[in-house]
């Protein structure tokens, strides 16, 4: 059995980046998770631990540009990236319109 956990790390201040990417802005509503993705058994390792990821949630609510920022074990990174990549988000909203948004999340992977 595999247990996966997801923890959103909140951002403190928001700015708009070139290309219209929102990053923590008072007038921007941050994305929210609709459904957490999963990890194929081929990417699971016997290790358990946390992986911190940075990524972009696009205007359609899909994660892109997924990068690990730290991990308890390198063997956990592929699974954590797959979880975020297959997750669905409500996109960030600004002035009633969906916008891109940079996020950070911690994923806990526990293979049992």
């Amino acid at each position: 059995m595999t247990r996966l956990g997801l923890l959103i790390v909140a951002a403190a201040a928001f700015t708009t980046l070139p290309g219209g990417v929102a990053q923590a802005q008072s007038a921007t509503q941050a994305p929210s998770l609709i459904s957490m993705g999963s990890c194929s058994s081929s990417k699971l390792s016997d290790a358990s631990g946390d992986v911190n990821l940075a990524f972009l949630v696009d205007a359609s609510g899909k994660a892109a540009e997924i990068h690990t920022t730290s991990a308890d074990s390198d063997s956990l990174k592929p699974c954590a990236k797959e979880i975020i990549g297959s997750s669905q988000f409500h996109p960030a909203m600004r002035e009633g319109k969906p916008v891109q948004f940079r996020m950070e999340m911690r994923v806990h992977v526990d293979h049992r």
Side-chain angles (χ1 to χ4, degrees), residues 23-103:
Q23 191 170 3
Q25 191 172 4
S26 61
T28 302
Q29 179 183 352
S32 59
L33 184 66
I34 296 172
S35 63
M36 185 168 60
S38 61
C39 178
S40 61
S41 59
S42 65
K43 291 196 174 140
L44 287 172
S45 70
D46 288 335
S48 295
D50 293 333
V51 180
N52 293 310
L53 301 123
F55 56 96
L56 182 73
V57 175
D58 67 20
S60 69
K62 295 193 183 286
E65 301 177 20
I66 304 166
H67 305 282
T68 57
T69 57
S70 66
D72 290 342
S73 170
D74 286 344
S75 64
L76 299 171
K77 292 178 181 181
C79 185
K81 284 182 173 182
E82 185 173 334
I83 291 167
I84 293 299
S86 60
S87 295
Q88 183 63 43
F89 297 85
H90 285 289
M93 300 296 283
R94 184 176 5 160
E95 297 176 5
K97 297 179 183 178
V99 295
Q100 297 180 40
F101 192 92
R102 294 213 178 271
M103 293 194 60

